[in-house]
Amino acid sequence: MPRARRHPAASVAARPRPARRTMPLAAAAAGALLLTACASGAPGVATTSAPAATPEGYEQVTLDNCGTEVTFDAPPQRVVTIKSSTTEMLLALGLADRLVGTAFADGPVPERWADDVADVPVLSDKVPGQEALLEVEPDLVYAGWESNLSADGAGERASLATLGIATYVSPAACKAPGYQPDPLTFDEVLEEIREVGEVFGVPEAAADVVAEQQATLDAIEPVDGQTAVWWSSGTDTPYVGAGIGAPQMLLEAAGLRNVFADVHDTWTSVGWEQVVAADPDVIVLVDAAWNPAQKKMEFLAAHPAASQLAAVREQRYVVVPFAATEAGVRNAQAASDVADAVRALDAGTPAPATTEG
């Protein structure tokens, strides 16, 4: 059995990232909520103070988040999360009581958090509009994608700041050069956990989650380099995992070789003829509430060319929940489950990955 590869948590590797600046809190008892945003062409600046007294020991946190500077004078108290990965981040950190709304869930949360989020309002099955967002009076919107914060979505970041709402985007989803992880690594994922813990004033909880994630990564026994296609969505043109995003990170940790690793992107569109020519040993199927893995299996079985692949004939499928395919607290377990699922396929006892997190 191959030895597990370690993924060090202490250093953030790969790309230079704009430095985060953390400054001492000037006044512990800030007055009313104050938020400002830079106009002109400069990045937006959002500053937030909690309506209640600042917790003892909390220090002002200023972040360069995807090119937008955001300052927190106190931990956010009323949060709307967009995408499952951001909701689950707060649940993992024990911050369910800060949630006033969620949106754009890719599937159910893991069972261990189901009760924590049961009474939190769901604002929308997709990106919430500004009207629905403002009704719950958040002081922070935590978004999984930059595109969630747009004029035709939840609102642009600078505009929300003028309304008293700070914004934070998962750093793994940043798209601008110098901000986009290239490639995404587990170091980046663990750093986001620490950063969110710092923003919310729960660094100890963040450290515990990081330690749990690291232990899971350290225990992975990678498989022996079989090839894989990571199919997320699309039928006429399949949308697959490429070489610098979460799919590549997970496949590499599991010991699989991504057929499309040479494409310098997080995801990419390909033709079925390319998939057939690659003849992958394994096909990873992303399972989402809006695009279930079972339908993908049915499509592959009926497709004139793809149905001839050995991986399709032998149903060498590994199913991964969509929420585990974006940077977040489910990634480490997802990588472990993918490796275990491939071993089960090799042994003739297929067991799809569950990645409960």
Side-chain angles (χ1 to χ4, degrees), residues 2 56 111 225 236 351:
E56 183 179 355
E111 186 61 31
D236 292 342

Side-chain angles (χ1 to χ4, degrees), residues 92-95 193 197 201-212:
L93 292 172
L95 298 169
I193 297 171
V202 290
E204 296 85 1
D208 290 344
V209 174
V210 167
E212 180 184 7

Side-chain angles (χ1 to χ4, degrees), residues 11 28 33 52 73 79 87 94 115 124 163 222 224 241 261 263 265-266 270 274 283 301 308 327 330 351:
S11 61
L33 184 66
D73 288 337
V79 185
T87 301
D115 290 343
S124 175
L163 297 174
D224 294 324
V263 178
D265 206 342
T266 51
V270 298
Q274 293 171 270
I283 300 177
Q308 303 307 305
R330 284 216 235 177

Side-chain angles (χ1 to χ4, degrees), residues 91 109-119:
L91 295 176
V109 302
E111 186 61 31
R112 63 172 170 164
W113 297 323
D115 290 343
D116 296 337
V117 77
D119 295 328

Side-chain angles (χ1 to χ4, degrees), residues 127-219:
V127 180
Q130 287 193 53
E131 183 177 352
L133 184 76
L134 295 177
E135 282 181 359
V136 296
E137 300 180 344
D139 57 10
L140 172 67
V141 179
Y142 181 9
W145 296 345
E146 282 190 279
S147 60
N148 299 154
L149 301 173
S150 63
D152 57 354
E156 295 179 330
R157 302 187 72 172
S159 297
L160 290 173
T162 64
L163 297 174
I165 304 170
T167 54
Y168 179 82
V169 175
S170 173
C174 298
K175 291 297 185 183
Y179 291 94
Q180 181 181 37
D182 187 7
L184 179 66
T185 68
F186 277 104
D187 291 322
E188 296 278 353
V189 175
L190 300 184
E191 178 60 19
E192 180 175 348
I193 297 171
R194 296 188 189 95
E195 190 165 272
V196 174
E198 186 178 359
V199 166
F200 282 87
V202 290
E204 296 85 1
D208 290 344
V209 174
V210 167
E212 180 184 7
Q213 300 275 308
Q214 190 67 59
T216 300
L217 290 171
D218 291 344

